């Protein structure tokens, strides 16, 4: 075996990226189980769902949230691709754009919570507990994702990543896609399904 | 390059300076592995003392040694300790120590995460035991069924040590599993294609995958429980639209795979020991691999069989009963493969082999009683009786502790560089084997005679007296056997003969390293040409591009072709700091002091940032 035989082919993912994939697998399982629990509570419940005082959720704010988060996945994807192709100039802007969309999502979530908390709280009943646990946990993931994006953004701006060394960017954007996809399931389950 | 120089340069690059700082900052998988083993053994001793207390209490009717409240705490802590703080961490200890060596790597893929897993395990274990120290240990059984475990029926902090402790511990287990998966997929020696991975590593790979998907169920259940207990949420309480059966589903979605999480690596030890001491490769190696993976997968399909008595729809029960029967098939394949390997080889009954064979015998009995449960009418009859206690000790003690003792004697020379005493090993085996059967076999009968589990005492004249006394005497013999094991190991450390690199004539790569291995494991990274590399004719020397560096090769997923050279991280304070910060968070949670929770959260954030900060020389985590 010679040294040149063990040079990295340009685009193979590093071990850290696989590790993030597995972290995502466990976290996705948590969300899947929480949503399953939500439906379990719904199907063992007699009478209207959501149970009063909660009402069938209005869709305007959550649809906007969905648009924002879906939109944010695009610059995240481009940032990852840019870093892997060594075009570091645009990566900072793309990470910044992703973070801004994420922050906008969080602002809307606060708006949404303020309305909802007047009607029912996590302590009202099992529906309230499930609703706030799922959306709250997801919101916490968005908040963590935004912090991580700003963190790598800072080091991108400082020029600390390069075409060869940018695992953090790959990992954070991968995580961001996960946060986005989970939201689609949360949206479909908690907001859309009561309309069916 | 002379023959000696790579070793010296490697030593310089890898050796950790002795001392307290190095003990707290080490990232060496062998030191971490040893620590896991020692800590898990200490928890085994504690769980064993609890078991003896239980047995003394039950030795005769109307015993008043323990008050009912104390008894509840002790059997709950016994179950929790054995399952969560002893078996899985001990098997992780073997995994940590052995897997990189077996794969021909110089460390785990993420050495600092590895250290983190250990510190979190230790912190979570101490956290759970704080409950016992202040006399408020969990007391609702190891599966803490709702609504019993809810705020109305179990007020006080006891069950919070359970819920929060398990969430805390889950971080360690999950991180450890991810580390093992990536190490196995990416850090194998050049030439170790998928079909050449050793059986023990396969077993751990299947286990780790099961952990990744099973622990979240436990975490989710415990999260809901704690939100309900600490913050007044409702998930399991019917008055507010909740449902206690939800807890049961979530718990057993975790709980049944967990039986295989305990059992698969243990079986992997047996599949390692039997070929070595039969002097031939495993018969139908690939079938054993397939059945290992299948067992891990099917483990997820059978959770409902713990709930046959709950009153679920008939069709779904039938489906799960069928799945429970099917899972016997891959286990059967493995049993036949082991027996065929012994019959067609030249078996040597050294201590590890004794324990492996003892395991097979016990396992077949435990398996048969297990299949009996899948017959639903039978299950309904004996559920929550001592028959169940007998069954799961045959599976858990037989299925895990015997293999663990096999592995301990098998790898002891590698870990310490010294041999154990063979005759003492045989004595310990026969004591443990006899003590085990005398302890647990009578419980089948007392269970069939109607003795319920989890009772702190029982009235005279139910026909249970003699059986319980026999059980308790058996437990004393069992304890004596385990003490002989301990004595054997202590003797070996002091006076055992030097082992040399490969005392057993084994086939896998850990035996190519020194005993105990150098900090860098291998002077030259081995090149692999079969599933039994040490039984192949040796290769000619090749110059190694890794000589001297703090590095290890990364290879491709399928073929094990070299891909890149990974720089490995140096010692670090971050893992310990992370574990301590998490401990602050959990202390805040259990005392419901928001300030402390926030403070802990900030500390965690700081450590994460320090960890992720791109360093001057970027190394994998
Ligand atoms: C060292 C010898 C052991 C003895 C004498 C022993 C004895 C017992 C007894 C008598 C009980 C029933 C208590 C009751 O229902 O009132 C029990 C429960 C239990 N044991 Fe063991 N045990 C031993 C080792 C183990 C091991 C190695 C494991 C696991 C790997 C284990 C796991 C459990 C579990 C999970 C429970 C159920 C606790 C509960 O009901 O919540 N035991 N043990």
């Amino acid at each position: 075996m010679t040294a040149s035989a063990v040079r990295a082919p340009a685009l193979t993912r590093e071990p850290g990226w696989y590790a993030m994939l597995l972290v995502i697998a466990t976290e996705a399982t948590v969300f899947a189980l929480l949503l399953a629990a939500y439906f379990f509570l719904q199907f063992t419940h007699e009478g209207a769902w959501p149970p009063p005082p909660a009402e069938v959720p209005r869709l305007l704010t959550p649809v906007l949230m969905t648009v924002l988060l879906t939109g944010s996945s695009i610059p995240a994807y481009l940032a990852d691709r840019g870093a892997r192709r060594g075009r570091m100039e645009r990566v900072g802007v793309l990470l910044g754009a992703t973070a801004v969309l994420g922050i906008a999502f969080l602002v809307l979530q606060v708006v949404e919570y303020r309305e909802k908390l007047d009607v029912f709280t996590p302590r009202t009943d099992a529906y309230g507990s499930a609703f706030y646990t799922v959306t709250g946990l997801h919101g916490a993931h968005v908040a963590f994702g935004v912090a991580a994006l700003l963190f790598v953004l800072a080091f991108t701006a400082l020029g600390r990543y390069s075409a060869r060394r940018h695992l953090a960017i790959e990992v954070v954007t991968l995580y961001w896609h996960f946060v986005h996809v989970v939201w689609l399931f949360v949206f479909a389950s908690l907001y859309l399904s009561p309309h069916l | 390059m002379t023959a000696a120089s790579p070793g010296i340069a490697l030593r310089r690059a890898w050796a950790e300076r002795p001392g307290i700082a190095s003990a707290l900052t080490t990232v060496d998988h062998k030191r971490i592995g040893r620590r896991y083993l020692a800590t898990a053994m200490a928890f085994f001793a504690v769980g064993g003392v609890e078991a003896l207390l239980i047995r003394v209490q039950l030795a005769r009717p109307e015993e008043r040694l323990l008050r009912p409240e104390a008894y509840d705490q002790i059997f709950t802590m016994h179950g929790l300790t054995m399952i969560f703080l002893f078996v899985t961490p001990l098997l992780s200890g073997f995994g940590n120590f052995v897997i990189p060596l077996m794969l021909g790597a110089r460390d785990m893929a993420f050495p600092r995460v590895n250290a983190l897993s250990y510190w979190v395990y230790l912190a979570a274990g101490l956290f759970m035991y704080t409950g016992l120290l202040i006399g408020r240990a969990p007391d609702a059984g190891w599966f803490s069924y709702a609504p019993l475990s809810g705020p109305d029926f179990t007020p006080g902090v006891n069950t919070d040590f359970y819920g929060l402790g398990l969430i805390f511990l889950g971080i360690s287990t999950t991180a450890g599993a991810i580390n093992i998966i990536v190490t196995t997929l990416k850090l194998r020696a050049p030439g170790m294609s998928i079909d050449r991975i050793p059986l023990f590593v396969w077993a751990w790979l299947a286990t780790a995958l099961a952990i990744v998907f099973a622990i979240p169920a436990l975490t989710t259940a415990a999260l809901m429980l704690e939100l309900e207990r600490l913050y007044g949420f409702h998930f399991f309480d019917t008055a507010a639209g909740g449902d206690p059966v939800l807890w049961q589903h979530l718990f057993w979605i975790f709980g049944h795979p967990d039986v295989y999480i305990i059992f698969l690596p243990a079986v992997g030890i047996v599949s390692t020991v039997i070929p070595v001491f039969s002097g031939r490769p495993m018969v139908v190696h690939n079938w054993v691999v397939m059945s290992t993976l299948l067992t891990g997968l099917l483990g997820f399909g059978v959770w409902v069989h713990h709930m046959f008595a709950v009153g679920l729809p008939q069709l779904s029960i039938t489906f799960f009963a069928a799945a429970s029967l099917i899972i016997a098939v891959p286990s059967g394949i493995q049993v036949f493969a082991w027996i065929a390997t012994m019959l067609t080889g030249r078996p040597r009954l050294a201590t590890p082999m004794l324990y492996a064979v003892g395991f097979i015998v016990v396992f077949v009995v435990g398996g048969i009683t297990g299949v009996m449960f899948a017959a639903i009418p039978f299950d309904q009859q004996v559920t929550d009786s001592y028959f169940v206690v007998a069954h799961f000790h045959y599976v858990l003690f037989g299925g895990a502790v015997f293999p663990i003792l096999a592995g301990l004697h098998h790898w002891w020379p590698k870990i310490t560089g010294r041999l154990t005493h063979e005759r003492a090993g045989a004595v310990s085996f026969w004591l443990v084997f006899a003590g085990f059967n005398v302890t647990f076999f009578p419980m089948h009968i007392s269970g069939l005679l109607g003795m319920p589990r989890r009772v702190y005492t029982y009235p005279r004249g139910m026909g249970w007296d003699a059986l319980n006394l026999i059980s308790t005497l058996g437990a004393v013999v069992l304890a004596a056997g385990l003490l002989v094991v301990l004595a054997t190991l202590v003797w070996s450390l002091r006076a055992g003969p030097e082992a040399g690199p490969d005392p057993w004539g084994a086939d896998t790569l850990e035996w190519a390293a020194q005993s105990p291995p150098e900090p860098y494991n291998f002077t030259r990274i081995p090149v692999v040409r079969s599933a039994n590399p040490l039984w192949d004719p040796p290769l000619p020397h090749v110059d190694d591009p890794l000589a001297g560096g703090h590095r290890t090769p990364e290879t491709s997923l399928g073929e094990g072709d070299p891909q890149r050279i990974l720089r490995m991280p140096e010692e670090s304070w971050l893992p310990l700091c992370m574990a301590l910060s998490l401990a602050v968070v959990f202390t805040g949670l259990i005392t419901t002091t928001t300030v402390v929770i926030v403070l802990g959260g900030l500390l965690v954030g700081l450590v994460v940032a320090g960890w992720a900060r791109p360093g001057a020389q970027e190394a994998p985590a």
Side-chain angles (χ1 to χ4, degrees), chain B residues 51 54 71 75 78-79 82 87 141-142 386 392-393 440 453-454:
Chain B
I54 295 175
Y71 186 84
F75 81 70
H78 163 72
M82 290 301 192
V87 174
W142 82 282
Y386 258 82
F392 67 68
H393 282 90
F440 294 111
R453 66 192 283 202
R454 296 174 171 170

Side-chain angles (χ1 to χ4, degrees), chain B residues 420-458:
Chain B
T420 55
H421 196 288
E422 273 305 321
R423 270 247 289 299
V427 169
S428 77
F429 168 75
W430 286 111
L431 283 174
V432 170
F433 188 78
F436 166 78
N437 284 295
V438 176
T439 309
F440 294 111
F441 194 81
M443 293 185 193
H444 288 112
I445 306 172
S446 54
L448 287 173
L449 292 178
M451 178 164 170
R453 66 192 283 202
R454 296 174 171 170
V455 287
Y456 84 106
T457 192
Y458 49 93

Side-chain angles (χ1 to χ4, degrees), chain B residues 44 47-48 50-52 54-55 58 71 75-83 86-87 140-144 262 386 389 392-393 396-397 400-401 439-440 443 452-456 471 475 478-479 482:
Chain B
F44 185 36
E50 286 157 356
L52 286 178
I54 295 175
R55 277 320 325 164
L58 296 179
Y71 186 84
F75 81 70
T76 302
M77 284 310 283
H78 163 72
L80 289 176
T81 305
M82 290 301 192
I83 293 203
F86 159 56
V87 174
W142 82 282
F143 41 70
S144 287
I262 287 172
Y386 258 82
V389 177
F392 67 68
H393 282 90
L396 292 175
F397 197 107
V401 179
T439 309
F440 294 111
M443 293 185 193
R453 66 192 283 202
R454 296 174 171 170
V455 287
Y456 84 106
S471 260
L478 180 50
L482 292 170

Side-chain angles (χ1 to χ4, degrees), chain A residues 6-8 12 26 123 126 129 160, chain B residues 212 217 231 234 240 562-564 614:
Chain A
V6 286
R7 276 281 141 68
T12 53
T26 58
R123 293 181 193 175
S129 301
R160 297 291 283 278
Chain B
V212 164
Y231 294 102
H234 309 278
Q563 277 186 328
R564 121 175 77 199

Side-chain angles (χ1 to χ4, degrees), chain B residues 464-513:
Chain B
W464 306 336
D465 307 11
L467 292 165
N468 273 295
L469 187 59
I470 296 174
S471 260
T472 301
L473 294 176
V476 173
V477 177
L478 180 50
L482 292 170
L483 286 178
V484 175
V485 172
L486 186 66
T488 317
L489 299 182
V490 172
W491 174 85
S492 155
L493 276 186
R494 298 174 161 238
E498 295 268 338
D502 185 11
W504 308 125
D507 57 335
T508 41
L509 287 175
E510 76 270 33
W511 303 101

Side-chain angles (χ1 to χ4, degrees), chain B residues 66 90 92 125 140 152 176 187 250 259 293 305 314 321 323 327 357 409 419 425 442 458 491 503 531 557 580 585 588:
Chain B
L66 296 173
L90 193 121
S92 300
D152 298 338
L187 258 59
L250 288 172
V259 173
L293 295 175
H305 82 197
Q314 195 59 44
I327 206 162
V357 175
H409 288 91
L419 296 171
Y458 49 93
W491 174 85
L557 276 175
L580 291 174
V585 174

